[in-house]
């Protein structure tokens, strides 16, 4: 009787033990799963894989590989265990070993799009871009269960500066992905960039950036890009609404350290004789004389150095006089120049600001006062 009770107790314990481990796996309770590390000799191949996967999710790839190997040695020999072992090896930059495991996984499941994509990612990380592109193209032909190869093919053509093809491929990637895919936002940002810089279709650029921001409203890096697209389209009202959101984020100290320190963001770009001028607007309202409202940097033709710096500064308000004046700061000469053009209130039309700066650059407006600083 005691023997029967003992056997029954062992059986019940074994079943409960197995169910508990699987429950932790199904509920993604990875910290509980790795507590089975010390009992690895008692685990089945499938259970060892689950513990390995938990270590993988907790970014301990050494232990993950150890448990994947134990799972394989206990007879678990399916594509997933080799795939995840290859993934951990890739994160450890052991690319040659990673390729071997991924190849095994692909032989077991040749139609698995995710496995083929991972092979391409390994080649890409190794710098074998031609091989990576070939593999990603192969992956695109497999049953559509994992859309990331579409992103990678587009990204490679983007890197190669084949912008026309890259843009077509990014739109293809967008159509192939759901919005919860980890690369969906990257695709939208790439489309926004290429529509802005390559096709000059600012409306499409703004649409892409708007969709990316809708997915991640706290990604304030995208807000200046969207404002520049709106302003390039002369949709100043929408650009101003985005700037208002950035002012709120500034007050809440949600912006990057650089923006918090400099207190301004880029809102516009325009071209002058092949040189780019970038307009920055201050997030802090001017209150005193010489406080800056706008700052405009003109880059040299190479685009790697500021050639001239213009400012819109608050001045001493006189009866019938302007509240803000167009100025220029020449650091090399240590001079501050004031031009005979200003604005009476806080509404400074961006197209007017561009026009006046261009008049100065063209030599059609001369400064009326100069001082050392």
């Amino acid at each position: 009787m005691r023997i029967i009770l003992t056997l029954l107790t062992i059986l019940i314990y074994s079943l409960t033990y197995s169910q508990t481990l699987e429950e932790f796996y199904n509920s993604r309770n990875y910290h509980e799963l790795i507590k089975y590390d010390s009992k690895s000799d008692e685990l089945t191949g499938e259970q060892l894989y689950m513990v390995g996967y938990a270590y993988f999710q907790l970014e301990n790839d050494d232990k993950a590989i150890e448990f994947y190997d134990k799972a394989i040695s206990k007879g678990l020999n399916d594509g997933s265990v080799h795939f995840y072992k290859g993934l951990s090896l890739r994160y450890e930059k052991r690319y040659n070993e990673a390729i071997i495991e991924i190849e095994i996984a692909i032989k077991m499941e040749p139609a698995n799009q995710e496995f083929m994509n991972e092979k391409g990612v390994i080649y890409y990380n190794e710098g074998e871009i031609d091989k990576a592109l070939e593999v990603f193209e192969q992956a695109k032909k497999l049953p559509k269960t994992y859309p990331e190869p579409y992103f990678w093919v587009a990204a490679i053509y983007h890197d190669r500066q084949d912008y026309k093809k890259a843009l077509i491929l990014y739109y293809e990637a967008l159509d192939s992905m759901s919005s919860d895919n980890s690369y969906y936002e990257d695709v939208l940002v790439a489309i926004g960039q290429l529509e802005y810089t390559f096709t000059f279709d600012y409306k499409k650029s703004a649409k892409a950036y708007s969709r990316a921001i809708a997915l991640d409203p706290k990604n304030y890096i995208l807000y200046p890009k969207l404002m520049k697209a709106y302003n390039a389209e002369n949709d100043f009202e929408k650009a101003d609404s985005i700037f208002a959101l950035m002012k709120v984020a500034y007050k809440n100290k949600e912006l990057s350290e650089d923006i918090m320190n400099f207190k301004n963001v880029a809102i516009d770009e325009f071209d002058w004789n092949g040189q780019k001028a970038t307009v920055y607007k201050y997030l802090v309202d001017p209150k005193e004389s010489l406080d800056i409202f706008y700052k405009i940097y003109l880059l040299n033709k190479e685009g790697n150095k500021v050639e001239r710096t213009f400012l819109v500064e608050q001045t001493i308000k006189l009866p019938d006089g302007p509240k803000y004046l167009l100025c220029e700061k020449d650091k090399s000469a240590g001079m501050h120049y004031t031009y005979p053009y200003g604005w009476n209130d806080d509404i400074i039309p961006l197209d007017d600001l561009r026009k006046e700066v261009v008049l100065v650059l063209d030599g059609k407006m001369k400064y009326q006062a100069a001082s050392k600083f």
Side-chain angles (χ1 to χ4, degrees):
M1 185 66 175
R2 286 186 180 181
I3 294 173
I4 293 171
L5 286 172
T6 301
L7 289 173
L8 186 60
T9 302
I10 291 171
L11 179 61
I12 292 170
Y13 173 78
S14 176
L15 288 171
T16 305
Y17 184 61
S18 174
Q19 287 173 347
T20 302
L21 189 149
E22 288 173 356
E23 284 170 0
F24 288 142
Y25 178 77
N26 292 330
S27 63
R28 302 180 183 181
N29 193 338
Y30 303 125
H31 288 285
E32 286 298 324
L33 271 172
I34 64 173
K35 291 179 181 179
Y36 289 85
D37 187 317
S38 60
K39 301 181 177 68
S40 61
D41 290 342
E42 305 168 30
L43 303 181
T44 66
E46 289 82 359
Q47 291 169 335
L48 289 164
Y49 164 77
M50 292 176 190
V51 176
Y53 183 78
Y55 275 120
F56 168 76
Q57 291 293 337
L58 296 173
E59 300 184 12
N60 188 339
D61 289 299
D62 280 333
K63 291 294 289 185
I65 292 166
E66 175 189 329
F67 271 80
Y68 294 143
D69 283 337
K70 287 180 179 181
I72 293 167
S73 70
K74 279 210 174 178
L76 183 64
N77 197 30
D78 65 17
S80 293
V81 68
H82 290 284
F83 169 74
Y84 279 105
K85 182 182 175 184
L87 205 55
S88 285
L89 288 165
R90 193 249 292 175
Y91 283 128
E92 291 198 333
K93 298 183 179 180
R94 293 159 63 181
Y95 299 126
N96 291 338
E97 296 170 78
I99 281 288
I100 291 170
E101 295 299 324
I102 296 301
E103 290 282 17
I104 294 171
I106 290 171
K107 285 179 181 176
M108 292 179 172
E109 298 183 38
N112 191 309
Q113 198 172 35
E114 185 177 9
F115 292 0
M116 188 67 74
N117 181 77
E118 175 59 21
K119 182 180 176 181
V121 172
I122 294 169
Y123 281 135
Y124 186 88
N125 286 359
E126 280 188 298
E128 298 275 0
I129 307 303
D130 289 336
K131 283 186 179 179
L133 180 58
E134 183 181 344
V135 173
F136 288 133
E137 292 283 17
Q138 283 181 269
K140 282 177 64 176
K141 296 174 183 176
L142 296 176
K144 293 183 178 182
T145 57
Y146 193 77
E148 291 181 12
Y150 291 87
F151 163 78
W152 284 108
V153 172
I156 288 173
Y157 280 103
H158 195 168
D159 290 343
R160 290 177 170 178
Q161 299 183 12
D162 188 343
Y163 299 135
K164 183 177 181 179
K165 188 164 186 176
L167 188 57
I168 293 169
L169 291 166
Y170 278 129
Y171 276 114
E172 183 184 23
L174 199 66
D175 290 339
S176 303
M177 291 180 172
S178 60
S179 60
D180 60 353
N181 187 280
S182 60
Y183 286 103
Y184 194 83
E185 184 179 338
D186 294 331
V187 171
L188 285 169
V189 171
I191 289 171
Q193 179 196 352
L194 288 176
E195 294 288 16
Y196 183 88
T197 60
F198 177 63
T199 67
F200 308 110
D201 191 329
Y202 304 119
K203 189 170 289 186
K204 286 183 179 178
S205 174
K207 182 179 179 181
Y209 284 133
S210 294
R211 290 177 65 184
I213 289 170
L215 292 172
D216 188 5
K218 297 292 186 181
N219 187 354
Y220 294 111
I221 292 173
L222 299 181
Y223 283 57
K225 299 177 189 294
L226 178 56
M227 282 189 285
K228 286 190 280 188
Y230 279 142
N231 281 324
E233 185 67 15
N234 292 329
D235 197 340
F236 305 123
E237 188 175 341
K238 285 184 180 177
D240 288 343
S241 69
I242 301 301
F243 183 77
L245 294 175
M246 289 211 76
K247 286 185 75 171
V248 172
Y250 174 80
K251 289 177 183 177
N252 294 337
K253 298 181 180 179
E254 296 175 333
L255 303 180
S256 69
E257 185 178 350
D258 280 348
I259 295 177
M260 295 301 298
N261 289 336
F262 288 110
K263 301 179 176 61
N264 60 41
V265 290
I267 64 160
D268 184 46
E269 294 174 339
F270 63 91
D271 182 82
W272 177 78
N273 290 348
Q275 293 176 244
K276 185 170 76 172
T278 305
V279 181
Y280 288 80
K281 189 173 182 179
Y282 275 73
L283 295 158
V284 179
D285 294 331
K287 294 179 181 177
E288 300 178 0
S289 178
L290 301 183
D291 281 355
I292 302 170
F293 199 164
Y294 287 94
K295 186 175 282 188
I296 303 97
Y297 294 112
L298 178 72
L299 300 181
N300 60 9
K301 287 191 180 292
E302 293 73 27
N304 58 11
K305 185 179 179 182
V306 174
E307 195 169 275
R308 297 179 73 171
T309 303
F310 295 92
L311 313 165
V312 174
E313 293 179 342
Q314 182 164 308
T315 187
I316 299 170
K317 189 72 170 73
L318 299 174
D320 299 323
K323 184 177 181 180
Y324 299 101
L325 286 170
L326 178 64
C327 305
E328 183 176 2
K329 197 170 188 178
D330 185 343
K331 284 189 177 181
S332 60
M335 296 296 293
H336 180 278
Y337 303 105
T338 303
Y339 292 94
Y341 195 89
W343 296 268
N344 293 327
D345 53 41
D346 295 332
I347 300 173
I348 298 178
L350 186 58
D351 53 348
D352 190 38
L353 177 58
R354 295 172 188 157
K355 182 181 70 176
E356 301 312 319
V357 171
V358 168
L359 284 175
V360 175
L361 293 172
D362 287 340
K364 295 178 181 179
M365 186 193 298
K366 304 296 184 183
Y367 62 85
Q368 68 178 9
S371 60
K372 288 277 188 180
F373 66 85

